[in-house]
Amino acid sequence: MYELKIALRQVFSRKRQTFFAILAVALAVAVITVMMAMLSGFQGELIKSSTENSPHIVINPQDEKDGFIHLYKSNSALIMEKEGVIAVSPKYLGQAALEYKDNAEAISLQGIEPEAEDKVMRVSKDMIEGSFLSLTHTRHGIVLGDKLAENLGVQPGDRVDAVFPGSKTTSFKVIGLIHTGTEADEVTAYARLDSVQDFFNEPGVVSTIGVRVSDPYQADIIASSIERETELNAVSWIEANAEILNLLNTQKVFVNVFYILIYGIAGFGIANTLITIVAQRTREIGILKAMGASQKSIMIVFLFQSVILGAMGLVLGTILGYIATITLQSYKIAVPQEMYFGLQTLPLEVEPLNFVYAAFFAFIINIISGIYPARKAAKLDPVKAIESA
């Protein structure tokens, strides 16, 4: 195919122009792949934190004034039998104070069934001292957040006093410490459900029931089913994070507009290179047409040049984008937690599809960029082209 040979010769005869045209495309693809890695990482971390470190469904009392779920054992058994549910954890939540020597701290005291809570919340992975499941065998054992323990000045093995107005002061033995890396480490205290119910003088009731399901994306459907059958208020993680998920979807629209602008700038680089070639190769184009080359062939020559420049640019850009993403992943870039929903560092995730999308759209934009100069070259009058050169 002589059109391809002519296109290759014209592309590589102008090395400086070719270099900058390829570089424009490469930088556009690299920047976009890094941005897509950041967006994917952010979404992935957000969904992971919403599904891994929290119940997929939280069941609350139907009557908010009452504040408790009654018959929680039968309700928990009913929910556990539902298809897709893999763990159910009833929990009593109460505010109290812990005292140790001259120190006192306000706490969020969580009464739980250790094995059930561990299946729903995966607490064991956050343990830095002791065993979370040992709470099962310790009537008055307590697991504290590491910051809370530090503020109280206690160590595993020490005894602390739980205090609440109207309740009998109860002594708990510290049997473990957790570290989640969040503000919860300053206030969280776990104890057995029956111990906490007795402490608050509220036997037979819980504040919430946490549920883990096998497919987090089915949480909405399962939550609706639970509401119908138990008449309790079931909130899925999707419903609880609806504002954040909607914000991410809105953000995607703006990011895609930004991608198109970057691709457009790169496309102009290629179009400018091809227009320059048309201007500099007018005489050659005229000769080709005088020798019988059709308008279609001339157009194909310039479209081939656009494809060659775009293909080389996207290959280089993909490599640069991958290297940049991997390099940035090796650094822990701190971000303001209040702006990024509790994330401490900027997450980046290498998604092969992101590279495919970036390369595909860059390629399409490049071909579109080559249409105008190709049509301009194809419409040149051979006689005028030769005379004007």
Side-chain angles (χ1 to χ4, degrees):
M1 181 176 280
Y2 76 92
E3 290 95 341
L4 179 59
K5 291 180 181 177
I6 295 173
L8 286 169
R9 190 178 63 199
Q10 290 192 347
V11 165
F12 292 108
S13 64
R14 292 287 185 273
K15 293 181 180 177
R16 183 175 298 177
Q17 291 172 354
T18 298
F19 171 75
F20 284 108
I22 292 172
L23 188 62
V25 178
L27 290 177
V29 173
V31 168
I32 286 172
T33 51
V34 171
M35 289 186 64
M36 291 174 100
M38 291 168 58
L39 192 59
S40 296
F42 180 65
Q43 288 178 315
E45 285 295 322
L46 186 64
I47 291 174
K48 183 180 175 183
S49 64
S50 299
T51 59
E52 289 299 316
N53 301 322
S54 303
H56 295 161
I57 300 170
V58 176
I59 299 170
N60 299 303
Q62 186 182 36
D63 184 355
E64 294 183 0
K65 293 181 180 177
D66 183 6
F68 295 115
I69 297 174
H70 300 270
L71 303 175
Y72 71 88
K73 291 183 180 178
S74 59
N75 279 319
S76 296
L78 176 66
I79 295 165
M80 191 65 205
E81 290 177 356
K82 296 190 73 62
E83 184 178 355
V85 174
I86 57 177
V88 176
S89 175
K91 182 186 295 187
Y92 189 104
L93 301 171
Q95 303 298 315
L98 275 188
E99 294 179 348
Y100 179 73
K101 296 182 179 176
D102 295 331
N103 298 326
E105 292 288 335
I107 61 167
S108 172
L109 183 56
Q110 303 189 25
I112 45 86
E113 294 174 351
E115 290 188 10
E117 181 68 2
D118 198 37
K119 288 179 181 176
V120 171
M121 294 291 288
R122 312 284 168 84
V123 184
S124 288
K125 67 179 176 54
D126 295 325
M127 294 294 294
I128 55 175
E129 286 196 43
S131 167
F132 185 71
L133 295 181
S134 64
L135 274 176
T136 307
H137 312 292
T138 311
R139 182 72 170 83
H140 288 104
I142 195 166
V143 172
L144 304 180
D146 59 344
K147 292 293 183 185
L148 173 60
E150 181 181 332
N151 293 339
L152 285 168
V154 300
Q155 298 289 333
D158 293 335
R159 299 196 73 87
V160 292
D161 291 329
V163 180
F164 182 74
S167 296
K168 182 181 177 182
T169 300
T170 304
S171 176
F172 287 93
K173 182 180 179 181
V174 179
I175 63 169
L177 302 177
I178 61 168
H179 174 75
T180 63
T182 67
E183 295 178 354
D185 294 335
E186 298 181 12
V187 295
T188 300
Y190 287 105
R192 266 176 45 169
L193 177 59
D194 53 354
S195 302
V196 175
Q197 288 171 329
D198 289 346
F199 172 70
F200 285 108
N201 298 315
E202 295 286 358
V205 296
V206 294
S207 307
T208 66
I209 299 175
V211 179
R212 177 169 285 271
V213 298
S214 54
D215 182 359
Y217 294 98
Q218 296 296 314
D220 258 349
I221 297 172
I222 297 173
S224 298
S225 173
I226 291 173
E227 281 191 339
R228 285 196 301 271
E229 295 187 22
T230 65
E231 297 185 349
L232 295 171
N233 181 23
V235 180
S236 72
W237 71 272
I238 298 172
E239 182 181 350
N241 294 284
E243 288 187 7
I244 298 175
L245 294 174
N246 288 335
L247 178 64
L248 286 175
N249 289 332
T250 305
Q251 189 183 39
K252 272 186 178 178
V253 175
F254 290 106
V255 170
N256 286 332
V257 171
F258 185 65
Y259 291 163
I260 291 172
L261 290 176
I262 294 179
Y263 284 136
I265 293 170
F268 273 116
I270 287 185
N272 182 57
T273 301
L274 294 178
I275 290 170
T276 304
I277 290 174
V278 171
Q280 293 176 340
R281 299 287 179 170
T282 301
R283 186 172 180 274
E284 292 181 20
I285 294 169
I287 293 172
L288 281 173
K289 297 191 76 172
M291 291 172 66
S294 64
Q295 285 192 357
K296 181 181 177 183
S297 293
I298 298 297
M299 196 163 177
I300 289 174
V301 168
F302 280 86
L303 286 177
F304 267 140
Q305 292 182 55
S306 177
V307 169
I308 293 166
L309 293 172
M312 294 174 73
L314 70 88
V315 169
L316 179 62
T318 302
I319 294 171
L320 287 176
Y322 180 76
I323 293 173
T325 304
I326 295 297
T327 304
L328 289 172
Q329 272 185 328
S330 62
Y331 292 96
K332 300 295 182 186
I333 303 173
V335 297
Q337 292 187 40
E338 62 276 12
M339 291 181 61
Y340 292 90
F341 308 104
L343 297 180
Q344 296 179 334
T345 58
L346 186 67
L348 288 103
E349 187 173 322
V350 177
E351 282 278 353
L353 275 180
N354 286 346
F355 292 93
V356 174
Y357 291 147
F360 175 75
F361 286 110
F363 196 67
I364 296 299
I365 294 291
N366 292 335
I367 291 177
I368 293 172
S369 303
I371 290 176
Y372 171 71
R375 286 171 60 87
K376 186 178 179 182
K379 289 182 179 179
L380 280 176
D381 183 280
V383 177
K384 291 182 180 178
I386 294 172
E387 288 178 347
S388 63

